[in-house]
Amino acid sequence: MQDKMMDAFNAQTRQMFEPMRKINSLMLNNMEKMTQYQLEAMKRYSQMGTERLRNATDIQDAESLRDFGTQQAAMMNELSQQMQEDARVMSEMSLEFKAEMEKLFGEAGKQMADQASAAAKGEQPSAKGEQPAKASSQSSRKS
């Protein structure tokens, strides 16, 4: 009798922690994906900045300064477009994460509702016929 109760307890515990495990896994995967993207973006921005510094060191006269200024304007436009693209991608990742979280919470809520209704159905028979068995198994555990 105690083995059955322990097996039921273990099964309920696994069911209880399964949604949390899925949520933790989803959060970890999302964090990894976002971090990887941000590292790649930082690398791109660093390369752009380093390239601009190298070009600045090549300035030797007024004409090269004018060319550098023209290139600087084009680079700022490119940087602006890249930042917009990065913001769009990060937003898409966030929306995807939100949708997956909502799906998991919906599944967890449905599972909890199913378990609650199953427990409510299971409690009715035990209140009538199985109550003495529970009392005797609990008292046998104490001794």
Side-chain angles (χ1 to χ4, degrees), residues 5-118:
M5 287 175 37
M6 287 304 291
D7 290 343
F9 175 75
N10 288 337
Q12 287 175 347
T13 304
R14 277 191 296 277
Q15 287 177 347
M16 182 179 77
F17 286 115
E18 182 64 19
M20 292 186 338
R21 187 196 62 74
K22 286 180 181 178
I23 289 170
N24 286 339
S25 176
L26 177 63
M27 291 177 75
L28 181 62
N29 289 340
N30 184 63
M31 185 173 30
E32 182 180 24
K33 195 164 57 169
M34 296 277 263
T35 301
Q36 185 65 35
Y37 189 82
Q38 289 173 341
L39 287 171
E40 290 170 7
M42 186 170 35
K43 182 179 177 183
R44 281 192 304 271
Y45 297 140
S46 296
Q47 287 173 344
M48 289 174 89
T50 304
E51 180 183 335
R52 294 311 307 150
L53 288 173
R54 282 197 180 106
N55 290 342
T57 60
D58 291 341
I59 297 174
Q60 296 175 356
D61 54 15
E63 187 177 321
S64 60
L65 178 61
R66 182 185 43 124
D67 292 343
F68 178 78
T70 304
Q71 291 172 351
Q72 189 73 3
M75 193 276 308
M76 291 303 286
N77 186 33
E78 180 184 341
L79 178 64
S80 175
Q81 289 175 353
Q82 184 63 53
M83 290 178 82
Q84 288 176 349
E85 175 65 17
D86 290 341
R88 183 191 63 75
V89 169
M90 294 289 284
S91 177
E92 286 176 1
M93 282 190 228
S94 295
L95 289 173
E96 180 182 328
F97 175 70
K98 177 183 175 265
E100 290 175 10
M101 284 294 279
E102 287 174 345
K103 179 183 171 189
L104 281 178
F105 278 117
E107 290 172 0
K110 183 182 181 309
Q111 181 181 359
M112 289 174 65
D114 292 346
Q115 288 175 356
S117 65

Side-chain angles (χ1 to χ4, degrees), residues 119-135:
K121 291 176 184 176
E123 286 177 1
Q124 291 171 354
S126 68
K128 293 177 184 175
E130 293 182 21
Q131 189 68 23
K134 282 186 178 179

